[in-house]
Amino acid sequence: MIPTPLVPVPIPDRVAVLIGACMPERVLRAEIEAECAVREVHRFHGPLCDEDRADREQALSQLARANKVLGAYHPRLVIGPRRPR
């Protein structure tokens, strides 16, 4: 048998609400902050000026703080700064 790659399936809103109701609010907040920080990190490309570099470092710092909360709740919730392939 040949394994097939997993295909992401959208989660209905009602199911997402049920999942979210089972998690502490601080973890949900950290998940949102991590997602926003990853988007912010991906905004910067190529050679960066000092201001852009500082903004990117700030976003990475926010990601690290959010990941600390996520990792304490469950290690598999940690979000990396790299783009998914």
Side-chain angles (χ1 to χ4, degrees):
M1 182 161 43
I2 300 173
T4 58
L6 294 176
V7 177
V9 177
I11 298 174
D13 289 340
R14 285 183 167 173
V15 175
V17 169
L18 288 173
I19 292 169
C22 298
M23 296 173 71
E25 185 178 332
R26 64 183 169 78
V27 175
L28 293 174
R29 197 174 324 114
E31 185 177 18
I32 292 168
E33 290 172 6
E35 290 289 338
C36 290
V38 168
R39 272 194 301 270
E40 184 71 18
V41 167
H42 290 165
R43 278 184 358 144
F44 302 103
H45 299 285
L48 302 175
C49 67
D50 290 339
E51 187 176 311
D52 286 347
R53 194 174 303 115
D55 289 344
R56 184 175 188 277
E57 290 299 319
Q58 177 67 28
L60 287 170
S61 169
Q62 290 171 345
L63 178 60
R65 278 193 301 275
N67 274 337
K68 188 173 182 180
V69 173
L70 293 172
Y73 184 73
H74 194 287
R76 296 184 94 189
L77 290 178
V78 173
I79 299 172
R82 299 198 189 279
R83 290 184 191 263
R85 295 177 195 224

